[in-house]
Amino acid sequence: MTTRRSLIVGNWKMFTAIEDGIALARAISERTSDAEYADIVLCPTYCGLYPIGELLRNTRIAVGGQNMHWETEGPFTGEISARMLLTCGCRYVILGHSERRTHFGETDAVVNKKTLQAIAAGLIPIVCVGETMAQREAGLADRVVETQVREGLSGLSGEQIAGITVAYEPVWAIGTGRVATPELADEIHTRIRNLLAAVSNRETANAVRVLYGGSVKPDNAAALLAKSNIDGVLVGGASLHPDSFTAIVEAARS
Ligand code: 13P
């Protein structure tokens, strides 16, 4: 059986500017210094990336971007490149978050271009997928997620797939307090892994960490993480407080 180390990711979205972010990163770093059982990634706002990247250099915690452009450079006002993320100390980048898809019109084709660029640059993409409530109620959840996985990862070699992370974040669970049950999440994660096996092979699919995101809190994290196909969590609101985030990291211990 493949053992995948738990991966706990904090997505700070557009919260916490520099000073608060540094204090939060420092507190989390101090309080998780013995959490050798899990990998931890913090994804601050852009202005916090460099100082927090410096602060966390040579610690157990990695830093990630929340988004990036698919080109190496160019006249793309307001955008950030993979190389810029790398020079801020990032190892990871979240791609295709539902908030990017909903508010900024990101399509699966865009997510695919970004994923290929992130891999080429040496970043580990965390590719987000997930259905809306309307899609779930219409019985389309599986199909929506399958399309997002297939198109988002189109053109990746088996080796490249082995190096990515996928996050299942049902849109109806994000910021709503309405978490997916561990059973439902595990079922979709199993489908995602089977799909990864179909586009590569079983060994590759078994190497990929599939995270769950959407209202993950200290009181529901352990039950989610106990499921065999839930390899970690992508945390929004609860990652903004050292107490709740470190409690979620602690939930990965067993
Ligand atoms: P919440 O944990 O606030 O629901 O956000 C989840 C999310 O979008 C993480 O990327």
Side-chain angles (χ1 to χ4, degrees), residues 11 13 97 99 169 173-176 213-217 234-238:
N11 174 10
K13 307 192 179 184
H97 191 282
E99 288 151 14
E169 295 207 301
I174 295 178
T176 58
S215 296
V216 175
K217 307 288 177 211
L234 178 49
V235 186

Side-chain angles (χ1 to χ4, degrees), residues 22 25-26 29-30 40 42 44 48-64 84-91:
I22 290 172
R26 183 175 285 123
S29 176
E30 284 167 4
I40 303 170
L42 298 181
L49 279 179
Y50 183 72
I52 291 170
E54 286 291 298
L55 178 79
L56 297 178
R57 190 196 291 266
N58 301 324
T59 70
R60 313 191 50 267
I61 303 187
V63 175
M84 292 166 191
L85 292 180
L86 282 164
T87 54
C88 286
C90 291
R91 282 188 53 213

